[in-house]
């Protein structure tokens, strides 16, 4: 039996500055993404997600894309590993 794979992803989201706060609040209320950085005045968000299910990632990204004011959602990093492989990376 194979181990479950964990997906770690990060995205840049470009939004209109006028809708930045409402988009950020909508994204954070869903509890799928964390937002380690944002510049609402410039309309840019950095999102990070971790999950074991690719369809759920696709669904969540589609829902972010559908928010009013979102201009682009771009994947910038995607790592796939088992839990044991990730634990090996810890100091």
């Amino acid at each position: 039996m194979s181990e479950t794979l964990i997906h770690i992803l990060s995205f840049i989201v470009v939004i209109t500055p006028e809708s930045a706060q409402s988009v950020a609040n909508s994204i954070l209320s869903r509890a799928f993404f964390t937002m380690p950085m944002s510049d609402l005045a410039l309309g840019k968000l950095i999102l990070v997600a971790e999950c074991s299910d690719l369809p759920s990632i696709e669904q969540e990204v589609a829902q972010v894309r559908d928010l009013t004011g979102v201009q682009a959602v771009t994947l910038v990093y995607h790592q796939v590993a088992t839990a044991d492989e990730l634990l090996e990376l810890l100091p």
Side-chain angles (χ1 to χ4, degrees):
M1 187 167 134
S2 64
E3 281 191 70
T4 301
L5 295 177
I6 299 169
H7 297 266
I8 301 170
L9 307 100
S10 64
F11 300 86
I12 295 176
V13 181
V14 179
I15 53 182
T16 58
E18 307 81 48
S19 62
Q21 191 63 59
S22 65
V23 169
N25 291 342
S26 294
I27 291 169
L28 291 175
S29 72
R30 300 187 54 75
F32 185 82
F33 294 104
T34 59
M35 189 180 307
M37 294 184 71
S38 65
D39 188 330
L40 299 181
L42 291 177
K44 296 185 181 177
L45 310 173
I46 303 295
L47 303 181
V48 176
E50 178 183 317
C51 73
S52 60
D53 181 24
L54 275 177
S56 66
I57 294 167
E58 294 166 352
Q59 179 182 10
E60 292 291 334
V61 170
Q63 290 179 359
V64 169
R65 280 192 179 113
D66 289 343
L67 292 172
T68 301
V70 173
Q71 297 175 329
V73 179
T74 305
L75 176 68
V76 293
Y77 180 78
H78 185 186
Q79 178 178 351
V80 181
T82 64
D84 288 341
E85 290 170 333
L86 292 173
L87 287 172
E88 290 174 13
L89 299 174
L90 295 175

